[in-house]
Amino acid sequence: PNIVERGRGTLDAKLTVPLRRRVSLTVTGRNLTDNRVEFTQETSAGRQFVGSIRAGTTLGVGVTYAR
């Protein structure tokens, strides 16, 4: 039996701000909506819900120096 992951929308964002002449700050966010991931399985009774998870949100901060 195959287990299928249902499609879902996600929202990612990235913001880069120059701080000085050669330095910039970057802030990133992935899966900001943190929608539930649902799994279904096709059976003789039809499509049945198997389970779900939340993948979580990832945030990041970085500083870049360009020579």
Side-chain angles (χ1 to χ4, degrees), residues 16-58:
T16 302
V17 178
L19 299 177
R20 295 187 182 221
R21 188 171 141 187
R22 296 181 178 176
V23 179
S24 61
L25 174 71
T26 302
V27 178
T28 58
R30 295 190 63 182
N31 194 24
L32 295 174
T33 55
D34 193 21
N35 290 333
R36 184 176 309 252
V37 182
E38 295 182 350
F39 299 94
T40 59
Q41 183 175 3
E42 197 67 42
T43 65
S44 59
R47 186 174 293 175
Q48 293 188 325
F49 176 77
V50 176
S52 68
I53 63 168
R54 287 198 182 270
T57 300
T58 304

